[in-house]
Amino acid sequence: MQAQPAWFTVGACLASFIRFSSLTALAPKLKTVLSSPKRWRVFDVLVAMILAGIAIKLAVV
């Protein structure tokens, strides 16, 4: 249970807004960076490693 659920909600909404605004603003730059299949594979591996790390941490706790 959150001590102050209203602030948690505000923080989650703000983080989501910042994330999607950043993706929209950086889309042209990301298009050039992720233009090759090799770069996409590297990006996918990094994301998979982060998700696996989170899953392991959640399973251990």
Side-chain angles (χ1 to χ4, degrees):
M1 180 98 180
Q2 293 289 330
Q4 296 191 3
W7 283 113
F8 177 82
T9 303
V10 169
C13 290
L14 184 61
S16 181
F17 177 77
I18 290 171
R19 177 178 180 238
F20 287 114
S21 297
S22 298
L23 283 174
T24 303
L26 297 173
K29 177 91 172 148
L30 288 173
K31 181 180 176 186
T32 59
V33 172
L34 298 173
S35 60
S36 74
K38 183 179 178 182
R39 289 181 180 174
W40 266 108
R41 265 184 249 116
V42 170
F43 179 73
D44 286 340
V45 167
L46 290 173
V47 170
M49 289 172 57
I50 291 169
L51 291 176
I54 292 170
I56 290 168
K57 185 173 181 176
L58 287 172
V60 171
V61 173

